[in-house]
Amino acid sequence: MRRLPPAAQEDLRLRVVSALESGRVRTYGQAAEMFGVSERSVGTWWRASRTRGRQALLAAVRTPRARKGELIDESARGAVLRAMRDYTPVDLGQSGVMWTRASVRTLIRLVCGASMTERGVGKWLRRHGFTPQRPARRSYRQKDDEVSQWLEEEYPAIRARANGEKAELVWAD
């Protein structure tokens, strides 16, 4: 029974009670055998339908449970995530162009008034699908002379073209 989706469980409960009401089956045992459930379940469903009506047999709609220790409610969480999507830390008066745990911590304090540790912010970010994307160190294979040459020769041309087309340069992996 538990392996069935909620809608199928509801359908099964309704069919069992209907079979008992119509007289197709006379005992809990017969109903249990016919539908492949336990006698105890049949009895529970029958008593529930007698006392609370058919509504008692319907699948319960579950609401997300609040996580233990969650400081940020749903609307504030949406505001924080929208701010992270639409702005950079520089836009909000912080340093850096990438969101770090420290900058998200400041953003949460500004938006929600909640004070969190950086470790707590890291857990909160992971819980909402964010993972670290920038390595802490440079690649040992990076060739500094080639990077410098690219920054001095090719990048200015790219930036000039973007300015000419009134486009914005975005760095992404």
Side-chain angles (χ1 to χ4, degrees):
M1 173 76 172
R2 288 184 184 202
R3 293 186 181 161
L4 296 174
Q9 291 178 14
E10 176 183 308
D11 181 58
L12 179 60
R13 288 189 293 267
L14 291 169
R15 287 188 297 131
V16 168
V17 169
S18 293
L20 286 166
E21 287 175 340
S22 69
R24 283 187 292 149
V25 293
R26 298 193 183 273
T27 65
Y28 294 168
Q30 288 175 337
E33 188 176 325
M34 177 184 273
F35 292 98
V37 295
S38 70
E39 283 185 50
R40 185 176 182 178
S41 293
V42 172
T44 301
W45 300 337
W46 178 254
R47 285 187 301 278
S49 72
R50 296 294 105 202
T51 58
R52 297 188 317 255
R54 286 250 199 244
Q55 193 68 27
L57 303 175
L58 301 180
V61 178
R62 293 187 176 186
T63 57
R65 189 176 73 201
R67 295 186 184 269
K68 181 180 177 185
E70 188 75 40
L71 295 173
I72 303 170
D73 66 358
E74 196 170 327
S75 63
R77 178 180 65 223
V80 170
L81 296 176
R82 276 191 302 279
M84 288 174 62
R85 180 192 65 206
D86 296 340
Y87 302 101
T88 64
V90 171
D91 296 334
L92 301 175
Q94 299 180 32
S95 62
V97 293
M98 297 182 73
W99 287 107
T100 62
R101 287 187 287 179
S103 60
V104 173
R105 178 183 182 199
T106 304
L107 177 66
I108 289 171
R109 192 174 4 185
L110 290 172
V111 172
C112 310
S115 180
M116 296 175 71
T117 63
E118 282 192 31
R119 185 174 179 186
V121 169
K123 287 181 179 181
W124 185 85
L125 288 169
R126 278 190 302 281
R127 191 178 310 138
H128 293 91
F130 292 91
T131 57
Q133 297 295 312
R134 183 178 175 193
R137 291 173 269 148
R138 284 189 336 186
S139 170
Y140 67 91
R141 292 181 275 178
Q142 181 173 328
K143 298 175 182 168
D144 291 329
D145 54 335
E146 289 180 20
V147 170
S148 298
Q149 181 181 355
W150 184 86
L151 286 171
E152 291 172 5
E153 296 173 11
E154 293 182 40
Y155 179 68
I158 294 170
R159 187 174 51 202
R161 180 176 172 200
N163 288 338
E165 296 177 8
K166 295 186 178 168
E168 184 176 333
L169 289 178
V170 177
W171 297 88
D173 283 340

